[in-house]
Amino acid sequence: YIMKKMIIFSVCFLLVAATLLAQEEYRKPTVLVAGFKYAGNVSSSESETLRNSIIASLSRKARIRLIDLNTETTLSEEQKRRLNEATISDLMANGGEEMQRLVADYIVVGTVNNVTEETKEYKDKSGKVTYSYEATVTFSVQAIASKDGSIAYSGTLTSKETDDNKSKARAEAFRTGLGCGFVEHLAHLEGEVYEGDYTEKKDKMLTCFIKLGALQGVAEGDYFEICKVKYVAGEALYEEVGSLEVTTAHNKISECKVRKKGAEDVLAAMKQYLRDRTLNPEAAKPLIVRSGCKPASGLLGIGFLGL
């Protein structure tokens, strides 16, 4: 009886250990947003508003883990002060040793460069004149990899806001964020499509599952490209055949709907892979997915460039 209990306990322990190990297979990149500099006609409070807005936007991105500079307990008050006043040259001093000691994978620094204001006049049929005000904020953002000091992302961005109140237009222009493109550079995902577990209709794939889930930060609405293998000079390369959108993210897998454009090619590619796997399992290459940004969506309209 005692031996039986020990065996049961050992099995349960191994199952729990295996579950924990599986959960630790992927670690989300950690991002720390340092202080933002400001120049031109931008005030310190406006710079801080933009920085806080960027932090708020990143906190909603499931694929990264955001570190709050003000509440992080592993940082000393001196480190927090230096990060709030940091520039790239400061972070890279002494071969980037300071960054390597930090808890984050990426340090984000920025500069709010300028804000311009434009007044537009409108006159209706009765001759009544009204005005609208447009404010445009220009700012630069860079994400630096703490392990080697390489720049993972660098961009100059703009944020615009129009209102019939000049002060409100200016204030709202500083309430912006970072979108999909920024996250793609720091937390690009690749995985496989489950072979055979899909639905089809009229020679088009409708739904499928991918081997990526909430543990990797996948969320409802995420966009992925679907790619099939293509051999060039004997080398296996991948080319895009379609795309999909996540409808439900489970722990390790996600349910997806295949977008109409390319749905026929996706189904044909899947069936070809299943045939290849039957004939030569070792040589057959499954369909893969690569995370990306929906066309013409997000503040940063750029795709993954590769790091």
Side-chain angles (χ1 to χ4, degrees):
Y1 175 75
I2 295 176
M3 181 62 69
K4 184 178 180 181
K5 288 185 67 176
M6 290 179 65
I7 292 173
I8 293 174
F9 175 80
S10 299
V11 170
C12 291
F13 176 79
L14 290 173
L15 288 173
V16 171
T19 301
L20 292 174
L21 181 63
Q23 290 177 343
E24 292 176 359
E25 288 176 356
Y26 179 82
R27 188 179 70 85
K28 296 178 184 179
T30 54
V31 178
L32 186 151
V33 181
F36 273 35
K37 303 293 183 182
Y38 55 97
N41 58 343
V42 179
S43 69
S44 60
S45 61
E46 289 173 327
S47 174
E48 188 64 14
T49 295
L50 187 139
R51 176 181 175 273
N52 289 336
S53 297
I54 284 176
I55 289 174
S57 72
L58 292 179
S59 69
R60 295 189 289 270
K61 307 300 181 184
R63 257 191 272 164
I64 63 173
R65 187 171 73 87
L66 188 67
I67 296 176
D68 190 330
L69 180 61
N70 296 321
T71 60
E72 179 57 47
T73 57
T74 62
L75 295 175
S76 67
E77 291 302 317
E78 175 62 16
Q79 282 179 312
K80 292 178 182 179
R81 184 192 65 78
R82 290 170 62 182
L83 281 168
N84 265 320
E85 300 173 0
T87 63
I88 292 180
S89 57
D90 295 333
L91 293 172
M92 292 307 299
N94 300 319
E97 291 180 4
E98 178 73 16
M99 282 202 307
Q100 295 171 19
R101 291 195 294 267
L102 296 176
V103 293
D105 298 307
Y106 298 98
I107 312 298
V108 177
V109 295
T111 301
V112 191
N113 302 311
N114 192 31
V115 56
T116 60
E117 297 171 298
E118 182 180 357
T119 303
K120 296 181 179 180
E121 181 181 301
Y122 300 93
K123 184 180 295 186
D124 61 19
K125 293 180 180 180
S126 65
K128 182 181 178 181
V129 177
T130 58
Y131 298 92
S132 71
Y133 305 93
E134 182 181 84
T136 303
V137 176
T138 304
F139 61 101
S140 58
V141 174
Q142 290 181 309
I144 310 162
S146 58
K147 65 178 180 179
D148 57 11
S150 61
I151 296 178
Y153 173 84
S154 180
T156 299
L157 312 168
T158 59
S159 172
K160 293 185 179 182
E161 191 67 36
T162 301
D163 198 273
D164 56 6
N165 182 289
K166 186 176 182 179
S167 298
K168 186 176 179 181
R170 179 176 177 123
E172 290 299 318
F174 285 93
R175 293 184 174 91
T176 186
L178 295 176
C180 170
F182 178 85
V183 175
E184 273 301 301
H185 280 77
L186 274 56
H188 178 68
L189 292 178
E190 293 192 9
E192 295 181 3
V193 180
Y194 268 106
E195 62 277 10
D197 199 349
Y198 61 86
T199 62
E200 62 175 288
K201 185 177 181 180
K202 296 181 180 180
D203 297 323
K204 296 181 179 180
M205 185 180 287
L206 300 180
T207 64
C208 66
F209 286 83
I210 62 173
K211 299 179 182 181
L212 293 168
L215 284 177
Q216 290 81 28
V218 176
E220 180 182 341
D222 281 358
Y223 174 90
F224 287 85
E225 297 173 348
I226 307 175
C227 305
K228 71 173 184 178
V229 70
K230 177 181 180 180
Y231 290 94
V232 178
E235 184 177 356
L237 305 176
Y238 279 91
E239 64 178 358
E240 182 185 349
V241 290
S243 58
L244 55 81
E245 186 174 322
V246 175
T247 54
T248 305
H250 302 285
N251 205 28
K252 297 181 182 178
I253 64 172
S254 297
E255 301 175 53
C256 309
K257 63 178 179 182
V258 180
R259 294 164 70 94
K260 291 182 180 179
K261 185 178 180 181
E264 292 180 355
D265 295 332
V266 173
L267 181 61
M270 173 61 81
K271 291 187 174 181
Q272 182 62 54
Y273 162 67
L274 294 175
R275 286 192 294 268
D276 293 344
R277 193 183 63 173
T278 301
L279 298 173
N280 190 350
E282 294 182 0
K285 302 291 185 181
L287 273 63
I288 68 167
V289 290
R290 293 171 174 166
S291 62
C293 300
K294 294 179 184 178
S297 71
L299 175 65
L300 307 182
I302 55 177
F304 179 66
L305 302 178
L307 301 178

